[in-house]
Amino acid sequence: MSFKKCKDIILGIAMLAFGGVYTYFAQQIRILKINKSFAGYAGARIIPTLLGVLLMVLGLLCLIQGVLKLKKMKNQPKEAFDKAGTMAVVLTFACIVGYIMALPELGFCLSTVLYLFLQMLVMAPKEKRNYALFAIVAVVFTAFVFVAFRIGLTQLLPRGIIESLLGF
């Protein structure tokens, strides 16, 4: 059985496992009780818990889809190795690792713009690459997320060169 035939099953199992671990650790978030007479449902752990449960549900759906696809592909001839798809996965993983490493040094804005731009280059076919569009999307999306977190949610994001220059 090849990796290509089982990739949805492997992804589903990984998402289920990661979602379970994520939900477990989300439940470890301590909630400060300011008013003991008020029993609120929306504490600090509600959003991480919902995200973990959603990840597990999506993992289960991916697992079911993989099993159904495997049953359908059982009698089909063996496919050739997809070198381009494997390279895209490796480059995506490298972009994620680079983003994680650059985030403390460059800050949220610059590292996110670079990550999004590079990720779009990795995922787009060579004949459909539009560098100007990718740059605009990366900058606009990063600005939107920065404003949403900084102003809307009043949450700090990792500071870097751009944030220091702008005074945020």
Side-chain angles (χ1 to χ4, degrees):
M1 202 174 311
S2 69
F3 172 75
K4 187 166 185 161
K5 289 182 180 180
C6 296
K7 67 181 176 182
D8 287 338
I9 294 172
I10 294 168
L11 179 63
I13 292 169
M15 288 172 64
L16 275 170
F18 185 76
V21 171
Y22 183 85
T23 304
Y24 171 77
F25 284 113
Q27 293 300 308
Q28 305 305 314
I29 297 172
R30 285 195 272 153
I31 299 174
L32 299 175
K33 294 186 178 179
I34 297 171
N35 186 355
K36 296 195 190 273
S37 65
F38 176 72
Y41 294 104
R45 64 173 79 133
I46 189 73
I47 297 297
T49 301
L50 288 174
L51 290 175
V53 170
L54 180 63
L55 185 61
M56 288 190 293
V57 168
L58 292 174
L60 183 63
L61 291 174
C62 190
L63 182 63
I64 291 168
Q65 178 184 4
V67 169
L68 293 175
K69 187 191 285 184
L70 187 63
K71 285 181 180 179
K72 190 186 293 184
M73 292 175 63
K74 208 168 203 167
N75 296 330
Q76 292 181 352
K78 190 174 181 178
E79 296 177 20
F81 180 71
D82 184 15
K83 187 176 179 182
T86 304
M87 191 58 153
V89 170
V90 170
L91 289 174
T92 295
F93 184 73
C95 286
I96 292 170
V97 170
Y99 177 70
I100 292 168
M101 292 174 61
L103 193 60
E105 298 298 322
L106 299 178
F108 175 78
C109 289
L110 190 56
S111 59
T112 302
V113 167
L114 288 172
Y115 167 74
L116 290 174
F117 182 77
L118 292 173
Q119 188 63 53
M120 285 185 268
L121 285 179
V122 167
M123 298 308 290
K126 289 184 180 183
E127 61 274 357
K128 293 189 178 184
R129 289 185 180 166
N130 186 342
Y131 296 101
L133 177 65
F134 293 169
I136 291 169
V137 168
V139 169
V140 169
F141 180 79
T142 302
F144 174 77
V145 171
F146 182 79
V147 168
F149 273 83
R150 182 69 183 194
I151 296 170
L153 299 173
T154 62
Q155 296 294 313
L156 296 176
L157 294 168
R159 289 184 53 144
I161 300 165
I162 294 177
E163 293 88 347
S164 297
L165 291 174
L166 295 175
F168 288 108

